C-alpha cells in the first residue's frame, strides 16, 4: 500500500477506464449531516430522528452533493455504489436526469424523508434484514468490471456488504482508500489518499470539470 497525494490520485483516476466510487454515510457525516451504521457503530440509530426535511438542508450539504453529481455526469466516476440511506443526491437540481440516476446504486435503499417528492424509492433495508439480491448482483457486476475502486466513508464491520469491495481482487482493478485515519481496507488497498472525501472531490472537480478537461 502506497500513500499518494491528490496529484497522484488525479493521475491514477484519469488513466482509469472504469473507476467506481464505493461510499458510505461517512461522506454525509463529514459534510455536516448524519451518519448511519455503515460509518460508525457506537450507538443505536433512531430512524425517526434521522429522517430529513429536504427543503431545510444546509446549502453547503447540497453543494457538496452537486459536486458529486457533476463528477458522475462528466464520467470522472463511471458509477457510484452507496450504503448510505440518506439519498441527498435526489434533492439536488435535475435529479430526474436518467444519466445520473442510472449511475447510482443505493445498496440498502433510501430513508423515507418527511417531504420527499420522489416516487418508488427503494425502501431502506434495516440491520439484519435481507438485502435486495438484484442490487447485490448489480454491485458485484460494477465492481468486477471496474479497474479502479475508490472506497471512502464506509466501515468494514457491516456484513455482508463489507465483502463486496474485496471482490475487485478477482478482477483486474486497483483499490484506493480515501480516509483521514486508518481504515481496515488499507490492508488490501494499493493506494491510500490521507484526505477527506469532500476535499478530494472538490479538488478533482476543480481540475477535471471546471477546467473542461473532461469531455
Amino acid at each position: 500500500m502506497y500513500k499518494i497525494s491528490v496529484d497522484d490520485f488525479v493521475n491514477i483516476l484519469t488513466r482509469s477506464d472504469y473507476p467506481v466510487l464505493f461510499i458510505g454515510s461517512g461522506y454525509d457525516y463529514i459534510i455536516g449531516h448524519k451518519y448511519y451504521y455503515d460509518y460508525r457503530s457506537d450507538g443505536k440509530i433512531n430512524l425517526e430522528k434521522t429522517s430529513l426535511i429536504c427543503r431545510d438542508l444546509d446549502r453547503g450539504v447540497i453543494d457538496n452533493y452537486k459536486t458529486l453529481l457533476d463528477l458522475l455526469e462528466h464520467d470522472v466516476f463511471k458509477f457510484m455504489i452507496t450504503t448510505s440511506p440518506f439519498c441527498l443526491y435526489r434533492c439536488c437540481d435535475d435529479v430526474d436526469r436518467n444519466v445520473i440516476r442510472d449511475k447510482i446504486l443505493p445498496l440498502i435503499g433510501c430513508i423515507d424523508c418527511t417531504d420527499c417528492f420522489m416516487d418508488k424509492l427503494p425502501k431502506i433495508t434495516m440491520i439484519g434484514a435481507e438485502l435486495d439480491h438484484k442490487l447485490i448482483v448489480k454491485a458485484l457486476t460494477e465492481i468486477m468490471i471496474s479497474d479502479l475502486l475508490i472506497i471512502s466513508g464506509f466501515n468494514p464491520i457491516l456484513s455482508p456488504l463489507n465483502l463486496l469491495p474485496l471482490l475487485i481482487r478477482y478482477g483486474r482493478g486497483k483499490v484506493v482508500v480515501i480516509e483521514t485515519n486508518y481504515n481496515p481496507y488499507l490492508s488490501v488497498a494499493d493506494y491510500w489518499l490521507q484526505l477527506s472525501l469532500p476535499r478530494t472531490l472538490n479538488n478533482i472537480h476543480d481540475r477535471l470539470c471546471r477546467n473542461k478537461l473532461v469531455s
Side-chain angles (χ1 to χ4, degrees), residues 20 40 48 58 145 176:
V20 171
R40 294 172 62 181
E48 292 181 359
D58 182 85
I145 65 176
V176 178

Side-chain angles (χ1 to χ4, degrees), residues 46-109:
N46 185 334
L47 290 179
E48 292 181 359
K49 293 183 179 180
T50 56
S51 61
L52 305 175
I53 302 176
C54 296
R55 62 178 176 271
D56 291 341
L57 285 173
D58 182 85
R59 190 67 208 175
V61 174
I62 295 295
D63 287 343
N64 273 285
Y65 267 88
K66 284 188 173 182
T67 295
L68 184 54
L69 294 179
D70 274 351
L71 293 169
L72 285 165
E73 183 180 7
H74 289 297
D75 279 337
V76 174
F77 302 112
K78 298 292 185 181
F79 199 79
M80 183 178 87
I81 302 169
T82 177
T83 60
S84 172
F86 305 116
C87 48
L88 304 187
Y89 52 83
R90 298 181 183 273
C91 302
C92 299
D93 296 338
D94 299 325
V95 291
D96 59 337
R97 290 177 298 180
N98 289 332
V99 67
I100 299 298
R101 288 194 297 172
D102 291 346
K103 290 183 176 182
I104 300 175
L105 181 67
L107 262 183
I108 62 172

Side-chain angles (χ1 to χ4, degrees), residues 139-161:
L140 290 173
T141 302
E142 293 296 329
I143 291 172
M144 291 300 291
I145 65 176
S146 171
D147 63 345
L148 184 67
L149 184 66
I150 301 103
I151 305 171
S152 187
F154 177 63
N155 192 329
I157 69 166
L158 191 65
S159 178
L161 298 179

Side-chain angles (χ1 to χ4, degrees), residues 11-46:
N11 289 332
I12 293 169
L13 188 60
T14 53
R15 291 199 304 266
S16 172
D17 294 323
Y18 202 89
V20 171
L21 184 62
F22 191 115
I23 67 172
S25 64
Y27 181 69
D28 305 283
Y29 182 70
I30 293 170
I31 63 177
H33 187 50
K34 298 179 174 72
Y35 65 85
Y36 191 60
Y37 272 116
D38 64 334
Y39 179 59
R40 294 172 62 181
S41 60
D42 54 0
K44 294 182 178 180
I45 300 295
N46 185 334

